[in-house]
Amino acid sequence: MNQLEDMQTFVRIVEAGSITRASEQLNTVKSAISRRLAELEKRLGVTLLTRTTRSQTLTDSGLSYYQQCLRIIEDLAEVEASIKDKHCSFAGTIKISVPFSFGLKHLAPAFRQFNQAHPNVLFNVDFNDRKVDLIEEGYDLAIRISTLADSTLIARKITSVSPVLCASPAYLKQYGEPKTAEDLNQGHVRLRYNLMPEAWQLVSDSGKTVVVKSPVVVSANNGNYLCEEAIAGRGLMFGPDFICYEAIRAGQLKLLLCEQLRNQTTNAYAVYPHTRHLSQRVRGLVDFLADYFGEKPYWGIYS
Amino acid sequence: MNQLEDMQTFVRIVEAGSITRASEQLNTVKSAISRRLAELEKRLGVTLLTRTTRSQTLTDSGLSYYQQCLRIIEDLAEVEASIKDKHCSFAGTIKISVPFSFGLKHLAPAFRQFNQAHPNVLFNVDFNDRKVDLIEEGYDLAIRISTLADSTLIARKITSVSPVLCASPAYLKQYGEPKTAEDLNQGHVRLRYNLMPEAWQLVSDSGKTVVVKSPVVVSANNGNYLCEEAIAGRGLMFGPDFICYEAIRAGQLKLLLCEQLRNQTTNAYAVYPHTRHLSQRVRGLVDFLADYFGEKPYWGIYS
DNA sequence: TTTAATTGTTCTCTTTATGTGAACAATGAT
DNA sequence: ATCATTGTTCACATAAAGAGAACAATTAAA
């Protein structure tokens, strides 16, 4: 009995579409394949494949077994490969969807570093702020900065992201520095990120949500552009810390209403289909990212 | 070459502590085991086990290979077992931590139904509202009604949970029916769930967060008890829909401020350690729960 | 230090399992 | 109805794995 070889043979029969073609692909004769399949079915006590001379159909059990065989064979190959070059280096493609700004600015360097340790991993990155269908489009995983709303996916936290409100010193000189959330509605102008609701919602000292609706002077679907506009003193910027942190540290932007916003932290998640089996390299990447950014990422400005 | 048998042999050698003992346990002779190990190492091109006549030590590669062997062998056994009794019945223990009220009221019947389909699964359920350490305490998974804050865990959405505000008709007759969130702060009394902040936060029509601080007449760490108190007309109940839905449908409690609360939906998640390999039965249970409750669970009262 | 016991390795021989190819049966297209 | 193609079964050949003995290596006890 050779379970693994049985599995490989079965997979080949299914994919080749016939015992004869499978035997050709496996460089043997059809009798051997026929016997293997018969013995496998006998051992499992289940018919996997209903076959006539001209056609074959998978039974329910057969389909289930086929899928599980694929997974285990891949698993086993990965184990052998990872042991063989014992540096535990990964190989293969990782197809990933990432948010535009976060991806370019923070994930790209992380991927590069991962690639140095695992040069045989080929990244296929889709920079995109829309929520792609991971399953339909065959992604291995996606990075998302929002909560999980889909029960076909599973999520793992990668790091923390906090909202910041900021403006350039020149702007603050001209428009005055807001001391409370309520101040934002009077005599201020805003830079708006397209893909979020037009009105901002902040929590004031007293715990009330304040809806900010002051005029929008620039509107865009790119946070970095808005950040540059903020540095140029065009208006108030309300966005994630990972976009503005450098300008804030450099003094080009001044942080506003820290106390109200520091507790509004959200998370960045790695999400992937719950059905798909996580390959070593994808699991390795997620582990790497969680470690690379950590609970307190380098862009953190509250603390 | 028989990869799987090689793996099983290697695992046995490691666990038995010597080739001789392994050979006894495998009902064969030491020469066979010795040769198998030698050939495995030759094939992998790595020394797995540094051995003298009296002792053996795993190399780094050996330890890694050993752990992966365990996983694959278990995997394979599960696949064969699940195909053999083709109803895809699972077997083994599932150790799970669940929230107290949600667990007793909604998960328990779900587990029972799962058990009817898979009678060989033994549930080991911990009803507990504290966040147990899944890894430390060896849980297979937990059900949580909150967002994921731990990067060592992964989450999958099981169903939706919405907050409801309600009170008995008798209470409303006596205290008047609140029409806005602001009304709650005047002339009302509250039933309080211990494990949440004392003040309630609701969003008013205008989008403002209203902090409710009216007097608390009953305080408890059990939602069902609070619900009964609410039915008895003791005060306002603010809790998850899955606790109050029956009383609401029976007319014992009247739903308040629906429009403000219907969009505050949160989720229930299945969470488990990202390191642990998900066994078929645990994966099957999670799939079952996601399907059992669904996106619009039976306790839903909005919509 | 020597000896004895135990363990792992290597060798040959044997057994078992698997591959081989021909003959046969079954099926569907022409 | 015929024929080409496919799957199955069989006896046989081959290769791989097991068995057991002999040997080498190591360590504990004398």
Side-chain angles (χ1 to χ4, degrees):
Chain A
M1 182 186 82
N2 188 332
Q3 281 186 62
L4 182 71
E5 205 157 19
D6 286 349
M7 284 182 155
Q8 287 167 330
T9 305
F10 178 63
V11 165
R12 198 98 308 274
I13 295 172
V14 172
E15 291 177 354
S18 84
I19 289 183
T20 304
R21 253 179 295 168
S23 70
E24 288 162 5
Q25 292 175 17
L26 292 169
N27 294 313
T28 180
V29 288
K30 52 185 181 170
S31 62
I33 303 302
S34 174
R35 191 165 72 192
R36 273 231 200 104
L37 178 57
E39 278 177 6
L40 175 62
E41 289 187 326
K42 187 182 163 199
R43 179 158 58 82
L44 295 175
V46 181
T47 311
L48 298 171
L49 216 49
T50 52
R51 43 197 185 277
T52 68
T53 46
R54 296 281 168 166
S55 69
Q56 64 182 23
T57 325
L58 278 170
T59 63
D60 288 351
S61 298
L63 178 62
S64 164
Y65 189 63
Y66 169 70
Q67 290 166 336
Q68 304 198 69
C69 282
L70 281 184
R71 189 170 57 81
I72 286 190
I73 289 168
E74 190 195 344
D75 240 41
L76 223 134
E78 270 184 5
V79 168
E80 295 251 327
S82 76
I83 294 293
K84 269 176 184 159
D85 40 23
K86 53 196 157 208
H87 308 295
C88 206
S89 161
F90 305 121
T93 300
I94 297 180
K95 190 176 177 188
I96 181 171
S97 170
V98 305
F100 200 85
S101 296
F102 186 68
L104 280 180
K105 183 142 192 159
H106 300 289
L107 290 171
F111 292 165
R112 220 167 291 130
Q113 187 173 319
F114 184 82
N115 243 165
Q116 279 169 7
H118 308 286
N120 295 324
V121 168
L122 182 70
F123 278 96
N124 180 345
V125 186
D126 180 61
F127 293 92
N128 200 321
D129 282 332
R130 102 192 133 84
K131 290 198 175 175
V132 298
D133 187 324
L134 296 188
I135 298 167
E136 276 296 313
E137 304 184 36
Y139 285 91
D140 289 306
L141 82 161
I143 306 296
R144 299 261 168 89
I145 304 175
S146 61
T147 52
L148 183 67
D150 186 339
S151 75
T152 63
L153 302 178
I154 56 179
R156 175 158 169 226
K157 181 180 170 184
I158 293 293
T159 187
S160 304
V161 172
S162 298
V164 296
L165 181 74
C166 51
S168 74
Y171 173 92
L172 294 174
K173 204 166 195 174
Q174 185 180 347
Y175 291 83
E177 183 170 338
K179 298 294 183 193
T180 68
E182 283 83 356
D183 290 349
L184 299 174
N185 269 319
Q186 304 214 323
H188 283 282
V189 294
R190 296 184 297 139
L191 305 172
R192 183 196 164 208
Y193 183 61
N194 272 346
L195 305 177
M196 293 278 278
E198 210 234 283
W200 295 347
Q201 298 213 353
L202 285 88
V203 176
S204 71
D205 296 321
S206 59
K208 287 189 180 180
T209 297
V210 177
V211 179
V212 179
K213 293 184 175 173
S214 35
V216 170
V217 287
V218 177
S219 182
N221 70 348
N222 183 286
N224 287 107
Y225 169 68
L226 294 177
C227 186
E228 283 171 26
E229 291 294 293
I231 292 169
R234 300 289 307 280
L236 291 169
M237 165 94 190
F238 183 50
D241 49 0
F242 62 78
I243 286 185
C244 318
Y245 73 110
E246 285 171 321
I248 290 168
R249 287 191 189 145
Q252 297 174 291
L253 292 176
K254 195 167 172 211
L255 206 52
L256 304 169
L257 308 182
C258 297
E259 293 312 313
Q260 289 82 344
L261 289 169
R262 66 184 316 141
N263 299 320
Q264 310 270 322
T265 303
T266 59
N267 297 322
Y269 298 95
V271 302
Y272 45 88
H274 85 273
T275 45
R276 177 142 43 244
H277 174 247
L278 219 54
S279 68
Q280 292 241 329
R281 59 184 174 280
V282 175
R283 173 186 287 263
L285 176 64
V286 176
D287 285 346
F288 172 81
L289 291 176
D291 182 64
Y292 179 90
F293 296 119
E295 187 53 46
K296 292 184 180 247
Y298 55 82
W299 60 71
I301 46 174
Y302 304 124
S303 79
Chain B
M1 183 184 83
N2 188 332
Q3 281 184 62
L4 181 71
E5 206 157 18
D6 287 349
M7 285 183 154
Q8 288 168 328
T9 305
F10 178 63
V11 165
R12 200 96 310 275
I13 294 172
V14 171
E15 292 178 353
S18 83
I19 289 183
T20 303
R21 252 178 296 168
S23 71
E24 287 161 6
Q25 292 175 17
L26 292 167
N27 293 314
T28 181
V29 288
K30 52 184 181 170
S31 62
I33 303 302
S34 173
R35 191 166 72 190
R36 271 233 274 272
L37 179 57
E39 278 176 8
L40 176 63
E41 289 187 326
K42 186 183 162 198
R43 179 158 58 82
L44 295 175
V46 181
T47 311
L48 297 172
L49 216 49
T50 52
R51 43 199 185 278
T52 67
T53 47
R54 296 280 165 166
S55 70
Q56 64 183 23
T57 325
L58 278 169
T59 63
D60 288 350
S61 298
L63 178 62
S64 164
Y65 190 64
Y66 169 70
Q67 289 165 337
Q68 304 198 68
C69 282
L70 281 184
R71 188 169 59 80
I72 286 191
I73 290 168
E74 189 195 346
D75 240 41
L76 222 136
E78 270 184 6
V79 167
E80 295 253 326
S82 76
I83 295 292
K84 268 177 184 158
D85 40 24
K86 53 196 157 207
H87 307 296
C88 208
S89 165
F90 306 121
T93 300
I94 297 180
K95 189 175 176 189
I96 182 172
S97 170
V98 304
F100 201 84
S101 294
F102 186 68
L104 280 180
K105 183 140 192 162
H106 300 288
L107 291 171
F111 292 165
R112 220 168 291 129
Q113 187 172 319
F114 184 83
N115 244 165
Q116 279 169 8
H118 308 287
N120 295 325
V121 168
L122 182 70
F123 279 96
N124 180 345
V125 187
D126 180 61
F127 294 92
N128 200 322
D129 282 331
R130 104 193 132 84
K131 291 198 175 176
V132 298
D133 186 325
L134 296 188
I135 299 167
E136 275 296 313
E137 305 185 35
Y139 284 91
D140 290 305
L141 83 161
I143 306 297
R144 300 260 168 90
I145 303 175
S146 61
T147 52
L148 182 67
D150 186 339
S151 74
T152 63
L153 302 178
I154 58 178
R156 175 159 170 226
K157 181 180 169 184
I158 293 294
T159 187
S160 304
V161 172
S162 298
V164 298
L165 180 73
C166 51
S168 74
Y171 173 92
L172 294 174
K173 204 165 194 173
Q174 185 180 347
Y175 290 83
E177 183 169 336
K179 298 295 181 190
T180 69
E182 282 83 358
D183 289 350
L184 300 174
N185 268 318
Q186 305 214 323
H188 283 284
V189 294
R190 298 184 296 138
L191 305 171
R192 182 196 165 208
Y193 182 61
N194 273 344
L195 305 178
M196 294 278 277
E198 210 234 284
W200 296 347
Q201 299 213 349
L202 285 89
V203 176
S204 72
D205 296 320
S206 59
K208 287 190 181 180
T209 298
V210 176
V211 179
V212 179
K213 293 185 175 173
S214 35
V216 170
V217 288
V218 178
S219 181
N221 69 349
N222 183 286
N224 286 107
Y225 169 68
L226 295 178
C227 186
E228 283 172 26
E229 292 294 294
I231 293 170
R234 301 288 307 281
L236 291 169
M237 165 95 190
F238 182 51
D241 50 359
F242 62 78
I243 286 183
C244 319
Y245 72 109
E246 284 173 320
I248 291 169
R249 286 189 189 145
Q252 298 174 292
L253 292 176
K254 198 170 168 206
L255 205 52
L256 304 168
L257 307 183
C258 296
E259 294 312 314
Q260 289 82 345
L261 289 169
R262 68 184 314 139
N263 299 321
Q264 310 270 323
T265 304
T266 59
N267 297 322
Y269 299 94
V271 301
Y272 44 88
H274 85 272
T275 45
R276 178 145 41 244
H277 173 248
L278 218 56
S279 69
Q280 291 242 327
R281 59 184 176 278
V282 174
R283 174 185 287 263
L285 176 64
V286 175
D287 286 346
F288 172 81
L289 291 177
D291 183 66
Y292 180 91
F293 296 118
E295 186 52 46
K296 292 184 181 250
Y298 56 82
W299 59 71
I301 47 172
Y302 302 124
S303 87

